[in-house]
Amino acid sequence: MDTRDIIVIGGSSGATAPLKTILGALPSDLPASVFVVLHIPARSLGILATVTQAASHLPVRPAEDGMPIEPGHIYLGVPDRHLLLVDGHIRLGRGPRENMARPAIDPLFRSAAVSYGSRVVGVLLSGLLNDGAAGLSAIKRCGGLALVQDPQDAIADEMPLAGLRAVTADLVGPSTRLGDVLSDLVREAAGPRVLIPPEIQLEVDIAAGERVDSGVVSRFADPSPLVCPDCGGVMSQVRGPGPLRFRCQVGHAKTAEVLAYEQENTVDEALRVALRIIEERAELVSRMAEDGRNSGRRAVAEMYEERSEEYRRYADTLRRAVLMSMGRASPSGDEGGQETT
């Protein structure tokens, strides 16, 4: 009889403390394997010591490509590789970043859903933006369970809230309760097996580094007029449930929320560049007007003065837009330094 023996946990800003609480509550005879992805910077394994200390009664390992999956072990995502579960083994994917991150939460959740279906329990913790919501939706579609940290218990409530918008969670609770619940769930029989949607498998393949082009993407997404901020390629809107999200022909994946955040940065920079150019233009035309007055060309001077005033009005409008953009709240960096390149 299959049990719920695969636990996948994802988190971002503010997730370290609840993760330690959850792992510390798991029993030493845990009949399940645990996989963790936190958004971490490249060349960093600082989370290893933290998790090892919190779960000292269980073996903790950084994921290695080809490593067999064993019950009672905790596996951690490593920098700059997607953590994937394939055929009873760990695979480290070199596929494109998803929501600015690699490892990303959604590829782990999808790969677990494809390989283990109803045996999977997905846990979404504190974090910014809406990473993990699409992956949690994939777990539910494949028969698994979804647990979400109570947003009121999270330091950053955006990810838990996004998860709750994407799926009907099987449990919403504080981190102090999630560990005990997991200890009970892993001893229960898994639900019935369900047919795995092929588009979820395709996205797992992309994360693994398989070839991707417009033909592959068109099998689960429709072209949109949006441009990928990473590579400049055409983005397609992914069909199906879950948060609104997009993939480009190279494979970069963005939820609409992440894409909008990145576009804000681009717009802000464009406004600053435009302001500088307009101000320089106004100054140049003003000097041309002065030169016209000094040379006795009154009509020319008046024409350039009018243009100078017009450009300065444009500059004032742009300056107000820049100041307004500076007043917008923007997400702070993740504890682990979520990357944007």
Side-chain angles (χ1 to χ4, degrees), residues 29-280:
D29 61 344
L30 182 72
S33 305
V34 182
F35 305 86
V36 179
V37 161
L38 299 186
H39 290 154
I40 54 179
R43 298 175 298 279
S44 172
L45 281 176
I47 190 64
L48 177 60
T50 301
V51 172
T52 301
Q53 182 180 13
S56 57
H57 54 298
L58 293 169
V60 179
R61 294 186 177 184
E64 297 178 9
D65 194 47
M67 178 182 285
I69 295 171
E70 301 180 54
H73 286 62
I74 299 172
Y75 301 93
L76 303 181
V78 296
D80 207 31
R81 294 291 182 272
H82 290 307
L83 173 56
L84 307 174
L85 313 184
V86 181
D87 297 329
H89 292 75
I90 288 174
R91 183 171 181 184
L92 298 183
R94 297 175 177 267
R97 298 183 187 280
E98 186 155 347
N99 286 335
M100 306 184 291
R102 188 175 58 209
I105 300 166
D106 292 316
L108 168 62
F109 283 15
R110 288 192 202 101
S111 69
V114 167
S115 294
Y116 295 98
S118 61
R119 294 164 58 184
V120 179
V121 181
V123 183
L124 192 59
L125 302 178
S126 172
L128 299 170
L129 300 174
N130 58 352
D131 307 303
L136 208 60
S137 175
I139 289 175
K140 289 288 287 184
R141 292 175 67 191
C142 295
L145 299 182
L147 277 57
V148 178
Q149 183 182 5
D150 188 335
Q152 295 185 355
D153 180 61
I155 292 176
D157 64 2
E158 294 177 24
M159 275 175 44
L161 288 172
L164 295 177
R165 288 193 295 268
V167 304
T168 300
D170 296 283
L171 175 70
V172 181
S175 57
T176 51
R177 185 185 176 197
L178 293 179
D180 293 333
V181 171
L182 285 171
S183 300
D184 294 333
L185 288 177
V186 295
R187 302 181 190 279
E188 294 181 359
R193 296 183 181 182
V194 301
L195 185 65
I196 304 300
E199 62 270 20
I200 299 179
Q201 177 66 67
L202 282 174
E203 293 201 85
V204 173
D205 294 341
I206 292 173
E210 299 293 335
R211 184 185 68 86
V212 59
D213 55 28
S214 57
V216 173
V217 174
S218 68
R219 294 163 66 180
F220 60 88
D222 301 313
S224 75
L226 302 176
V227 173
C228 177
D230 293 336
C231 66
V234 174
M235 299 210 81
S236 295
Q237 181 176 327
V238 176
R239 297 187 291 269
L244 177 62
R245 57 195 183 91
F246 302 84
R247 271 197 189 270
C248 73
Q249 296 172 345
V250 174
H252 296 117
K254 314 275 184 182
T255 62
E257 186 173 333
V258 171
L259 190 59
Y261 169 61
E262 290 189 291
Q263 286 179 340
E264 279 187 4
N265 293 337
T266 303
V267 169
D268 290 348
E269 181 63 23
L271 285 173
R272 288 175 173 82
V273 171
L275 176 59
R276 176 180 59 81
I277 293 173
I278 289 293
E279 287 180 330
E280 290 179 356

Side-chain angles (χ1 to χ4, degrees), residues 1-18:
M1 179 182 65
D2 289 338
T3 57
R4 304 187 189 278
D5 57 351
I6 300 293
I7 300 172
V8 290
I9 303 176
S12 185
S13 181
T16 302

